[in-house]
Amino acid sequence: MKPGPEMLEWLRSRRSVRTFSAEPVPREVMERVMEGAITAPSNTNRQPWKFAVVRDAAMRSRIVNAVSTRVAEMKAIIQNSRHAESYGDYGDFFFEPLGAAQVIVIPQYREYPDLIANLIESGGGDPKQFTTASSMQAELCSTSMAIMSLLLQAHAEGLGACMMAGPIVAKTEIQTLLGIAEPWRMVGAIAIGWPIGDAPARGRKPVDRVVQWIDEETR
Ligand SMILES: Cc1cc2nc3c(=O)[nH]c(=O)nc-3n(C[C@H](O)[C@H](O)[C@H](O)COP(=O)(O)O)c2cc1C
């Protein structure tokens, strides 16, 4: 167990890594990464997540092709817009890290009936009078936590990883390729592999700008 200050330094050393070597990632290492993912907290411990861990090269190519095809379609439309120049090749960020990755993880979540809303209803009340967990997409939040746990375990293994929303542009195609069907929904894609080079540190807003301290003396 790392002491607090060391843990903070370690958390700060995580990067979104987008360039990877061609060295495969052993299945045992990925098994630990996925064990790490499922340690995450979730609403009423529902664990509303599933993950497709794609190590197979042919399936990875199909996923990358699906995303790059959709990006090209999007780009052709944006070319006609006044934002064409500022958009540039931005869409390439949606698939390039996946193309270099040795493993692609597709996280998925599903919604469940809102427990508290149902209890209120069963007591004769109107659930709309109360703000309950479904209003904050609790299952998506839980799955995001599992994704962060996955990224941290990957970091601890010396792997590089990048969580990506961009590949959702090919949601229908990827869900079909992997047999993902309702009630499950893809939540982006994670590129994973052994890192090449040092990924740049991206700045953070200062903590005082994003934290509202409610200390005793402010009462
Ligand atoms: C929900 C989410 C979506 C993201 N989508 C993409 C993406 O589509 N492509 C990409 O290259 N990076 C993506 N990122 C990575 C962010 O760009 C990155 O986390 C951010 O720039 C901070 O850098 P760092 O993770 O190295 O600290 C995404 C991150 C999150 C959490």
Side-chain angles (χ1 to χ4, degrees):
M1 185 55 86
K2 288 183 206 292
E6 249 181 61
M7 180 66 184
L8 179 57
E9 277 320 302
W10 184 77
L11 286 173
R12 283 180 170 148
S13 67
R14 185 206 56 79
R15 303 273 180 276
S16 287
V17 175
R18 299 177 177 84
T19 49
F20 308 100
S21 80
E23 196 186 329
V25 180
R27 163 95 185 227
E28 313 81 85
V29 176
M30 277 315 298
E31 282 174 4
R32 260 195 319 268
V33 169
M34 301 320 297
E35 289 284 349
I38 65 164
T39 63
S42 61
N43 55 320
T44 57
N45 200 20
R46 269 268 164 73
Q47 304 167 57
W49 48 59
K50 270 205 320 198
F51 305 87
V53 180
V54 186
R55 295 171 66 249
D56 177 65
M59 183 57 92
R60 280 190 279 118
S61 302
R62 280 181 219 124
I63 291 172
V64 175
N65 288 340
V67 180
S68 65
T69 302
R70 293 296 280 152
V71 166
E73 288 167 16
M74 216 168 61
K75 197 169 173 176
I77 296 166
I78 297 172
Q79 290 302 326
N80 304 322
S81 113
R82 62 196 164 84
H83 301 291
E85 211 167 300
S86 58
Y87 175 78
D89 293 324
Y90 181 73
D92 295 355
F93 276 114
F94 293 3
F95 61 87
E96 275 181 359
L98 296 181
Q102 289 299 311
V103 184
I104 297 174
V105 175
I106 305 292
Q108 301 143 52
Y109 81 103
R110 59 155 297 175
E111 289 177 353
Y112 282 93
D114 189 323
L115 180 70
I116 301 298
N118 285 352
L119 289 175
I120 292 167
E121 205 161 18
S122 72
D126 176 7
K128 289 195 193 71
Q129 298 303 312
F130 297 86
T131 307
T132 54
S134 58
S135 73
M136 55 167 278
Q137 296 186 274
E139 291 90 357
L140 179 56
C141 288
S142 303
T143 304
S144 302
M145 296 207 174
I147 292 169
M148 188 63 204
S149 299
L150 181 159
L151 295 179
L152 292 178
Q153 183 65 32
H155 182 40
E157 300 285 350
L159 287 164
C162 185
M163 166 61 191
M164 305 167 66
I168 203 77
V169 71
K171 181 182 178 190
T172 308
E173 294 79 356
I174 294 172
Q175 293 202 155
T176 303
L177 279 169
L178 298 175
I180 299 169
E182 278 294 324
W184 295 98
R185 295 177 197 172
M186 166 183 167
V187 189
I190 309 170
I192 300 179
W194 302 109
I196 294 184
D198 289 326
R202 304 297 303 272
R204 290 295 187 268
K205 295 173 186 173
V207 71
D208 284 343
R209 231 172 89 196
V210 295
V211 176
Q212 180 192 12
W213 298 104
I214 320 287
D215 288 334
E216 196 107 26
E217 62 265 32
T218 63
R219 271 210 233 136

